[in-house]
Amino acid sequence: MLALARGEDVSAAWMVAAALGSYAIGYRFYSRFILRRVLRADHSRATPAERLEDGLDYQPTDRRVLLGHHFAGISGAGPLVGPVLAAQMGYLPGTIWIIVGVIFAGAVQDMVVLFFSTRRDGKSLGQIAREEIGPVGGVAGVVAIFSIMIILLAVLALVVVQALAESPWGTFSVGMTIPLALFMGVYLRYLRPGRVSEVTIVGVSLLLFVIVAGRWVANSGMADTFTLSPRTLVVWLVIYGFAASVLPVWLLLVPRDYLSTFMKIGTIGLLALALVFTLPTLQMEAVTDFASNGEGPVFAGSLFPFVFITIACGALSGFHALISSGTTPKMIQKETQVRSIGYGAMLMESSVAVMAITAACVLDPGVYFAMNAPPAVIGDTVQAASETITSWGFVVTPEQLNAAAESVEEGSLLSRTGGAPTLALGLASIFSDILGGEAMMSFWYHFAIMFEALFILTAIDAGTRVGRFILQDALASTHPRMSRFRSTGWLPGILLTSAAVVGLWGWLLWVGVNDPLGGINTLYPIFGISNQLLGALALGLCTVLLIKSGRLKYAWVTAVPMAWVAVVTLTASWQKVFSGDPAVGFLARRDQYQEGIDSGQLLPGASDMGEMRTIVNNATLDAFLAGTLALLVVVVFIDAFRVALKAISSPETVRLHEAPYVRSRLVAPAELIATREEKAELVRAGLGPGGGFPEERAEEAPGDADAHGNGNGAGARDADAEGDGR
């Protein structure tokens, strides 16, 4: 505030300090309050991973490994790309929303959804809505959730394809994480069970080796083998997504996500340290004129509501609710772990978003806009781009633009839209200041591109599996004869639903790769809105569940962020459909291009009249889908409001669909670092730091659990003493 008031330069290091300090306070106090007072998590209650263990989907998993899986599963394109794009509004609005939004909205959603799904046998968000709200709101919720899920997966896959296409370094390094994950899964399952530290050291060492080896491969005769076209990458992504959906979670999905987490956190941690050591100045303005006039070249629309839609995963993401009600609740050992895994993982992702917007804002603003504005706005030459951007008040010369491209061995950086190249350049400029200088700019730039692909791919595998869960639950609810689809042991159902999910997003991706105006490219404009609509829906459902559980006085914890996100997202939906500005409104854009067709005028963005007609059709479809998704969410809200009023006025008539209470026999700490009491409990049970079942589990009678601190003994007493009991 002092720097802004005095007109001084602001160091990027303050962004790191503000974020980390806020996260520490939010986690220490607010998440603790939610766990103990609002949710009343019960350490002695058996989770579905313990009760329904099948070695396929339900598997009690070491909390440290599960945190890695959950973080990798929720970390998609949002925290990397969204903040970079939102930087056109200035560094201040986006950074504030990322930090405040995650503490009071995003992390709350992830934690609360994870808790309620764990209480319901790990059921999907759509199935929970159907059971707890009713058939009308439930069906609307299932349709909206599954539709949004397919769109999100296809968009994430498209970003991966764009990052890895014609990149042997990235393809080799990312591809090698699959056999590494298989090795780690077998190592933990059969060779050295429970030896998480050992497998971590081996896995991370091999990961670093394949990353370095990727550059060797790219400069060797093997480069052609790993230089894949976008079409070939689509096929491999579909195959990988299908395999990750049907194979046991312990074999591929969890170890690969856990492994990639070290890569993600390591890179972001290194970036944070680099910012502290180099102390670069934020060159972007605190708040640009584009925030108020809505005429930004990166994306059109004013600060409200579009900065909150553009920055998705870093502050709040509906996609996270699907992971929190998908794979993670089927593997969590204890209810009390929802704090470290749900709330904690979201704070980790928010830190990624803060680093992303900071990396974009330390770049010269002229270079930033040259990379993110489309050719229709700035032209296709450095001279034209320089003149246009300078007219906006951000002075940049053709020599600067050429020098930036040469420093990373690229022919041109003009109109490298999508956010990923901008983030890569920002990372490269910061890293090169402390590791290698200008000579290493190219290395760090291409390393960052590969890093982004690895970062996003983990959301595709977990998301595909969650999509399978959603479809299984939906089919099982249609008719009693279809109930078998819900069984995790029925292989035909698993194969059919997995094939359907990868087939849907794979088809959208295939068409989009072959047609720049088709497939997922058609739906990309509604990506942000659909994601945030899903977040509002998830928070609304959590509010109803809190009220039905008799916790009306705490319902504000989810109701307040739900109201904010609903207002923001529905406002954005309305503007995207009905705004009279063709750069914002779908219908206005349709009318603009239709008038061009009628008058025989070719407009920017189209090379012929065929593409003009395609743009008209796409705009019409986007308007219809944006309006339909918003309407479905409103239907869910109305039905949820009805159920909430009934629960308040006649609580005796309310029925919760929780799984029956079963006393847990599993011993495991609640946090990543065990307390003194938890360590003593593990010792008494003869277990290592990862926890598990006492060695004499098979011989004990149910009443003997107290002797090991798993029932009403030490474990339960500790929980009740801190407000965590039933």
Side-chain angles (χ1 to χ4, degrees):
M1 291 301 298
L2 287 173
L4 291 174
R6 296 173 176 174
E8 299 172 1
D9 292 334
V10 177
S11 170
W14 290 116
M15 301 298 103
V16 179
L20 297 183
S22 300
Y23 298 154
I25 295 171
Y27 185 81
R28 173 63 179 83
F29 297 104
Y30 195 49
S31 69
R32 188 185 182 97
F33 162 75
I34 295 173
L35 182 79
R36 296 181 173 185
R37 301 292 183 184
V38 181
L39 300 180
R40 302 170 196 166
D42 187 351
H43 192 73
S44 71
R45 188 185 188 112
T47 64
E50 178 181 351
R51 292 185 290 102
L52 306 174
E53 181 179 357
D54 61 5
L56 179 64
D57 295 323
Y58 293 89
Q59 178 73 44
T61 304
D62 187 300
R63 67 201 182 283
R64 297 163 295 182
V65 176
L66 187 59
L67 174 65
H69 157 73
H70 185 77
F71 170 70
I74 65 175
S75 301
L80 293 176
V81 176
V84 173
L85 302 180
Q88 81 160 2
M89 303 285 190
Y91 67 80
L92 200 56
T95 302
I96 291 176
W97 169 236
I98 290 169
I99 296 174
V100 175
V102 72
I103 292 172
F104 295 106
V108 173
Q109 172 206 253
D110 292 15
M111 177 181 178
V112 177
V113 170
L114 177 57
F115 173 82
F116 282 127
S117 180
T118 301
R119 278 282 174 100
R120 288 158 178 78
D121 290 340
K123 290 179 180 176
S124 66
L125 192 67
Q127 183 63 21
I128 296 174
R130 186 180 178 89
E131 292 179 350
E132 300 289 355
I133 296 179
V136 176
V139 170
V142 170
V143 173
I145 290 168
F146 188 72
S147 302
I148 293 171
M149 184 77 181
I150 296 301
I151 294 173
L152 297 183
L153 288 173
V155 169
L156 293 175
L158 180 63
V159 177
V160 174
V161 169
Q162 291 173 339
L164 294 183
E166 313 299 336
S167 173
W169 183 8
T171 301
F172 173 82
S173 299
V174 172
M176 286 302 295
T177 61
I178 297 175
L180 282 181
L182 295 172
F183 164 74
M184 291 174 66
V186 173
Y187 190 98
L188 275 178
R189 182 79 171 184
Y190 298 111
L191 301 180
R192 299 277 285 174
R195 305 289 183 172
V196 177
S197 299
E198 286 183 15
V199 79
T200 299
I201 294 173
V202 174
V204 172
S205 300
L206 291 174
L207 174 64
L208 295 175
F209 172 76
V210 299
I211 291 172
V212 175
R215 198 183 192 199
W216 300 340
V217 170
N219 296 322
S220 71
M222 298 174 61
D224 291 342
T225 304
F226 293 95
T227 302
L228 304 182
S229 67
R231 293 183 180 183
T232 305
L233 283 169
V234 170
V235 175
W236 280 113
L237 278 179
V238 168
I239 293 173
Y240 171 72
F242 180 80
S245 179
V246 301
L247 291 176
V249 288
W250 59 264
L251 180 59
L252 176 60
L253 186 66
V254 172
R256 189 189 178 284
D257 289 353
Y258 176 66
L259 181 64
S260 66
T261 294
F262 285 92
M263 175 67 179
K264 297 176 180 183
I265 293 300
T267 302
I268 295 302
L270 182 62
L271 176 59
L273 289 175
L275 289 172
V276 172
F277 279 110
T278 60
L279 299 176
T281 299
L282 294 172
Q283 300 195 55
M284 185 67 73
E285 296 175 0
V287 182
T288 66
D289 292 338
F290 300 130
S292 56
N293 62 30
E295 299 176 356
V298 179
F299 62 90
S302 57
L303 188 152
F304 179 87
F306 290 106
V307 75
F308 307 101
I309 301 301
T310 304
I311 298 177
C313 299
L316 170 74
S317 171
F319 178 78
H320 297 187
L322 302 181
I323 304 298
S324 292
S325 62
T327 54
T328 307
K330 297 177 176 65
M331 295 185 283
I332 196 167
Q333 295 170 315
K334 293 289 182 182
E335 282 187 359
T336 47
Q337 293 175 354
V338 300
R339 181 190 183 201
S340 58
I341 294 173
Y343 201 96
M346 183 55 190
L347 292 183
M348 290 164 59
E349 177 165 2
S350 182
S351 69
V352 175
V354 170
M355 294 301 105
I357 195 170
T358 303
C361 291
V362 299
L363 292 175
D364 183 282
V367 175
Y368 168 85
F369 285 110
M371 294 184 68
N372 289 280
V377 175
I378 62 172
D380 54 6
T381 66
V382 291
Q383 185 64 43
S386 171
E387 293 173 358
T388 302
I389 296 169
T390 300
S391 70
W392 299 338
F394 303 102
V395 179
V396 64
T397 65
E399 290 74 21
Q400 283 179 279
L401 297 178
N402 285 327
E406 291 172 2
S407 67
V408 293
E409 299 179 12
E410 293 282 350
S412 173
L413 291 178
L414 292 183
S415 301
R416 299 294 296 271
T417 56
T422 304
L423 176 59
L425 183 63
L427 286 171
S429 64
I430 295 169
F431 282 159
S432 63
D433 284 345
I434 60 173
L435 296 172
E438 292 292 330
M440 290 292 288
M441 274 287 291
S442 177
F443 171 85
W444 287 119
Y445 177 83
H446 290 92
F447 168 83
I449 293 292
M450 182 276 299
F451 160 75
E452 292 170 32
L454 176 65
F455 200 104
I456 298 168
L457 185 60
T458 54
I460 297 174
D461 51 25
T464 300
R465 199 178 191 97
V466 172
R468 188 249 288 180
F469 294 151
I470 296 172
L471 188 56
Q472 281 181 286
D473 284 341
L475 292 174
S477 302
T478 58
H479 193 277
R481 294 182 178 178
M482 302 286 283
S483 61
R484 196 174 184 185
F485 270 98
R486 192 172 287 125
S487 172
T488 58
W490 191 43
L491 187 58
I494 294 173
L495 295 176
L496 286 173
T497 50
S498 297
V501 172
V502 296
L504 287 170
W505 67 254
W507 176 78
L508 287 174
L509 179 61
W510 177 264
V511 176
V513 164
N514 288 280
D515 181 0
L517 295 177
I520 191 55
N521 297 310
T522 303
L523 305 178
Y524 192 86
I526 64 174
F527 168 72
I529 287 177
S530 60
N531 186 45
Q532 299 306 80
L533 281 173
L534 186 54
L537 189 154
L539 287 167
L541 177 59
C542 290
T543 303
V544 171
L545 291 175
L546 286 175
I547 295 173
K548 291 181 70 174
S549 303
R551 303 165 197 175
L552 177 61
K553 68 177 181 178
Y554 295 124
W556 59 267
V557 171
T558 54
V560 171
M562 175 207 69
W564 168 253
V565 177
V567 168
V568 166
T569 312
L570 292 175
T571 300
S573 299
W574 179 270
Q575 291 188 18
K576 290 300 291 183
V577 175
F578 298 109
S579 173
D581 183 356
V584 177
F586 294 132
L587 295 181
R589 180 175 174 83
R590 179 198 65 183
D591 294 341
Q592 179 189 40
Y593 277 79
Q594 185 60 54
E595 291 175 3
I597 293 173
D598 295 340
S599 62
Q601 180 183 4
L602 197 63
L603 299 180
S607 58
D608 53 44
M609 284 301 166
E611 290 191 356
M612 291 277 288
R613 285 186 285 273
T614 300
I615 292 174
V616 169
N617 294 335
N618 288 352
T620 305
L621 178 61
D622 287 338
F624 172 78
L625 289 176
T628 300
L629 291 175
L631 183 61
L632 287 171
V633 172
V634 169
V635 169
V636 176
F637 282 160
I638 293 173
D639 211 15
F641 185 69
R642 173 189 63 81
V643 174
L645 285 180
K646 182 180 178 182
I648 295 171
S649 59
S650 305
E652 69 280 354
T653 64
V654 171
R655 180 193 171 196
L656 279 173
H657 293 75
E658 289 186 352
Y661 172 84
V662 175
R663 180 176 296 170
S664 174
R665 299 175 62 83
L666 188 149
V667 180
E671 297 288 334
L672 295 183
I673 301 176
T675 63
R676 182 182 303 173
E677 293 78 9
E678 289 172 336
K679 290 178 181 177
E681 185 181 17
L682 291 169
V683 170
R684 288 195 299 270
L687 298 169
F693 294 101
E695 296 173 359
E696 58 271 35
R697 176 189 182 199
E699 291 79 25
E700 286 183 341
D704 293 335
D706 292 351
H708 300 280
N710 296 319
N712 293 326
R717 283 197 301 271
D718 291 343
D720 289 342
E722 295 183 337
D724 293 332
R726 284 183 292 151

